[in-house]
């Protein structure tokens, strides 16, 4: 009887110790809370291209998981970050995760962060963006990398070949985030852009003209963002 009690005590202690270790693991907490989920991998050799911006894993840090380095890659088609877990299982950090989570690539020196934004229809959504400007800036320039899926195009005659299904990388889209507002697509029209800041409309137009700013040029966008932040806009 005494031996049975000791055995049960040891089993109870070990089980609770394992559960405590599991619960204490920050990564596992994200999994348990639904911020990270296992990824469904649908490998189809007939589909050309990749849903990932870069198909190889890169070392990165995940903000709330300390200094541990993870292997990650960004899935622009599904708008999620794939994370290789310690158990060699592929997980997905989803775009509806906590907004304070951001992923910093160590080699590429770029950071993906989740922001709420207004889509083309003016409907609020959330997604991963590369933060192009200082994260602490009041006005931020965000870049969304994009990949679309194009279905198979069957040939209409015996003289033409069918075109296989493919993932296609398309041009990045830039967004601007002002204060606590939702990010919005950055206007390409100079007047529309300056109208985002009615109190400084004339100053912005003067700067655009004097510096020959092009709103489709990334370096120019960073330049005008720096100017806007120097105005201490609220």
């Amino acid at each position: 009887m005494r031996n049975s009690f000791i055995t049960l005590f040891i089993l109870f202690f070990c089980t609770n110790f394992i559960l405590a270790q599991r619960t204490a693991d920050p990564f596992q907490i994200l999994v348990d809370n639904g911020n990270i989920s296992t990824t469904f991998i649908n490998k189809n050799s007939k589909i050309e291209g990749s849903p990932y911006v870069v198909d190889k894993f890169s070392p990165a840090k995940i903000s709330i998981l300390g200094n541990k380095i993870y292997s990650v890659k960004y899935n622009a088609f599904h708008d999620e970050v794939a994370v290789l877990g310690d158990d060699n299982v592929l997980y997905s950090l989803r775009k509806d995760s906590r907004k304070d989570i951001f992923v910093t690539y160590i080699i590429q020196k770029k950071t993906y962060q989740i922001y709420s934004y207004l889509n083309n229809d003016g409907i609020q959504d959330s997604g991963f963006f590369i933060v192009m400007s200082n994260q602490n800036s009041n006005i931020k320039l965000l870049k969304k990398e994009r990949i679309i899926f194009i279905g198979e195009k069957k040939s209409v005659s015996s003289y033409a070949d069918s075109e296989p299904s493919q993932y296609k990388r398309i041009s990045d889209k830039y967004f601007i985030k002002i204060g606590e507002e939702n990010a919005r697509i950055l206007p390409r029209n100079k007047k529309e852009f300056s109208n985002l800041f009615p109190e400084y409309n004339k100053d912005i137009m003067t700067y655009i003209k004097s510096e020959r700013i092009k709103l489709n040029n990334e370096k120019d966008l960073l330049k005008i963002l720096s100017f806007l932040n120097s105005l201490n806009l609220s």
Side-chain angles (χ1 to χ4, degrees), residues 18 39 72 83 90 128 167 170 184 193:
I18 292 169
T39 297
V72 307
V83 184
L90 192 63
F128 279 98
Y167 290 107
I170 60 174
R184 64 180 79 180
F193 178 83

Side-chain angles (χ1 to χ4, degrees), residues 112-126:
Y112 288 93
Q113 186 164 353
I114 301 169
Y115 285 98
S116 297
Y117 70 96
L118 299 177
N119 63 22
N120 290 324
D121 299 318
I123 299 171
Q124 181 177 314
D125 199 351
S126 61

Side-chain angles (χ1 to χ4, degrees), residues 14-29:
C14 290
T15 301
N16 279 276
F17 178 75
I18 292 169
L19 287 173
Q21 280 191 320
R22 184 174 181 268
T23 304
D25 179 8
F27 187 88
Q28 187 60 50
I29 291 173

Side-chain angles (χ1 to χ4, degrees), residues 6 114 130 140 142 158 168 197:
I6 293 172
I114 301 169
I130 296 177
K140 297 180 179 68
L142 309 175
S158 57
K168 184 178 180 181
F197 312 94

Side-chain angles (χ1 to χ4, degrees), residues 15-192:
T15 301
N16 279 276
F17 178 75
I18 292 169
L19 287 173
Q21 280 191 320
R22 184 174 181 268
T23 304
D25 179 8
F27 187 88
Q28 187 60 50
I29 291 173
L30 287 180
V31 174
D32 293 341
N33 290 341
N35 291 293
I36 290 180
S37 58
T38 51
T39 297
F40 173 70
I41 304 173
N42 182 18
K43 292 184 177 179
N44 189 335
S45 59
K46 293 182 179 180
I47 301 177
E48 294 184 350
S50 171
Y52 299 98
V53 172
V54 177
D55 213 24
K56 293 181 180 180
F57 283 101
S58 295
K61 290 182 180 180
I62 300 174
S63 59
I64 63 171
L65 299 182
N67 290 319
K68 185 172 179 178
I69 296 174
Y70 292 87
S71 294
V72 307
K73 53 183 179 179
Y74 176 56
N75 186 325
F77 178 67
H78 288 109
D79 200 3
E80 60 189 22
V81 176
V83 184
L84 193 61
D86 291 338
D87 51 5
N88 213 34
V89 171
L90 192 63
Y91 293 86
S92 288
L93 182 57
R94 301 194 316 273
K95 66 177 185 176
D96 58 353
S97 301
R98 289 167 41 179
K99 297 290 191 298
D100 60 337
I101 299 175
F102 52 91
V103 181
T104 302
Y105 280 57
I106 295 170
I107 298 172
Q108 294 87 342
K109 305 290 184 185
K110 64 179 179 179
T111 298
Y112 288 93
Q113 186 164 353
I114 301 169
Y115 285 98
S116 297
Y117 70 96
L118 299 177
N119 63 22
N120 290 324
D121 299 318
I123 299 171
Q124 181 177 314
D125 199 351
S126 61
F128 279 98
F129 294 84
I130 296 177
V131 185
M132 303 299 294
S133 50
N134 191 308
Q135 283 183 309
N136 297 320
S137 300
N138 184 49
I139 303 170
K140 297 180 179 68
L141 177 66
L142 309 175
K143 179 166 73 173
K144 174 156 281 300
E145 297 172 322
R146 300 187 297 163
I147 289 175
I148 60 172
F149 176 77
I150 301 174
E152 180 185 5
K153 294 181 181 178
K154 296 187 178 295
S155 62
V156 293
S157 72
S158 57
Y159 298 101
D161 295 328
S162 297
E163 294 182 19
S165 302
Q166 63 172 309
Y167 290 107
K168 184 178 180 181
R169 181 86 157 86
I170 60 174
S171 59
D172 301 328
K173 184 169 283 191
Y174 292 90
F175 286 70
I176 186 169
K177 178 172 170 56
I178 305 169
E180 298 302 316
E181 296 178 8
N182 290 317
R184 64 180 79 180
I185 297 170
L186 191 142
R188 292 296 180 89
N189 181 279
K190 295 174 182 178
K191 193 168 185 179
E192 286 180 23

